[in-house]
Amino acid sequence: MEQLPESKNTTAKSENNLTWHNMDITRELRAEKMGQQPKTIWLTGLSGAGKSTIVNELEKRLFVYGKKTMVLDGDNVRMGLNKNLGFSEEDRVENIRRIAEVSKLMNDAGVIVLTSFISPFRKDRRNAKKIIGEDSFVEVYISTPIEECERRDVKGLYKKARAGKIADFSGISSPYEAPEAPDIEADTTGRTIEETADYIYSELKKHL
């Protein structure tokens, strides 16, 4: 007899049978072993704001001082873990949820995570903070204005978006909701990447 696909109701029922298993080696023990406080440093901002370049510079600074780190970059993750997701609002929500869950797992392993995602919606960033943990989430807003991002147009995406060749593009055909109270804010306009990274790193010390 042909087996029917599992329904959503059946899936929901199966989730009720799951049990969380606590392990003897805890997050606290791993953090102590690594000599650091695991945090997720969440960079958000428009395309072209400088997030990926800045996060790379930040990791180099942390690495030099012996910190155990991992970077989760928007494009890189979409080429692997999230390759099945598009750029609709629904897929963007799921993209950020998955990244938050991965970040939490890495924090539980004692690792400092640096992320670089547009993450345009406030509710998704709030949900990420809830998943990761309020004390472990450091929101960094790269507040480079859209005029400057579009002037750079590093990937040629703004030009395509203006021509209608890219749908749901943050800041053009889809909204970008700026953080209302980020932990750290930096505008790269008129600053070198090194200057911006130095400033953010100096502010990060308060959280690490």
Side-chain angles (χ1 to χ4, degrees):
M1 182 176 179
E2 183 181 358
Q3 186 174 3
L4 295 174
E6 188 179 56
S7 69
K8 290 184 179 180
N9 289 337
T10 304
T11 302
K13 289 178 182 178
S14 67
E15 289 176 351
N16 293 332
N17 296 323
L18 300 176
T19 301
W20 183 268
H21 290 274
N22 292 313
M23 304 300 176
D24 291 335
I25 305 301
T26 64
R27 171 185 175 133
E28 290 72 26
L29 288 171
R30 295 189 192 99
E32 183 179 357
K33 186 77 171 178
M34 290 188 175
Q36 62 185 30
Q37 287 299 317
K39 302 279 186 177
T40 293
I41 303 161
W42 191 284
L43 272 69
T44 177
L46 291 166
S47 177
K51 299 182 300 301
S52 295
T53 310
I54 291 167
V55 88
N56 183 55
E57 289 296 322
L58 287 174
E59 185 180 35
K60 287 193 291 186
R61 284 158 175 73
L62 291 167
F63 188 82
V64 164
Y65 287 99
K67 301 299 184 182
K68 287 74 175 178
T69 60
M70 184 63 194
V71 167
L72 300 176
D73 177 77
D75 283 1
N76 293 357
V77 170
R78 279 187 173 276
M79 294 172 72
L81 175 66
N82 291 347
K83 68 189 302 181
N84 65 319
L85 298 177
F87 290 89
S88 66
E89 182 171 346
E90 182 180 359
D91 280 0
R92 288 185 176 197
V93 169
E94 176 60 12
N95 182 54
I96 297 305
R97 188 196 69 80
R98 291 185 193 179
I99 294 310
E101 293 287 0
V102 171
S103 298
K104 181 182 184 300
L105 287 172
M106 288 187 174
N107 285 165
D108 286 347
V111 175
I112 295 171
V113 180
L114 301 99
T115 80
S116 171
F117 295 89
I118 295 174
S119 44
F121 304 119
R122 292 191 190 106
K123 62 181 176 60
D124 294 336
R125 297 194 299 269
R126 285 195 295 266
N127 188 51
K129 185 174 185 177
K130 182 178 179 181
I131 291 170
I132 292 165
E134 188 167 336
D135 293 338
S136 300
F137 187 91
V138 182
E139 186 177 54
V140 181
Y141 175 34
I142 308 302
S143 58
T144 309
I146 190 169
E147 294 80 11
E148 176 65 14
C149 295
E150 192 165 1
R151 185 191 67 79
R152 298 171 184 173
D153 206 7
V154 180
K155 302 176 184 178
L157 300 178
Y158 284 94
K159 185 176 181 180
K160 291 180 181 178
R162 291 289 187 190
K165 295 179 180 179
I166 300 179
D168 301 313
F169 189 81
S170 297
I172 303 295
S173 51
S174 181
Y176 176 81
E177 299 171 354
E180 295 174 323
D183 297 297
I184 302 170
E185 180 176 346
D187 180 353
T188 61
T189 308
R191 282 177 170 173
T192 66
I193 290 298
E194 289 74 18
E195 289 170 342
T196 306
D198 284 342
Y199 168 72
I200 295 173
Y201 181 69
S202 68
E203 293 295 304
L204 273 178
K205 292 178 181 177
K206 303 172 186 176
H207 302 275
L208 299 176

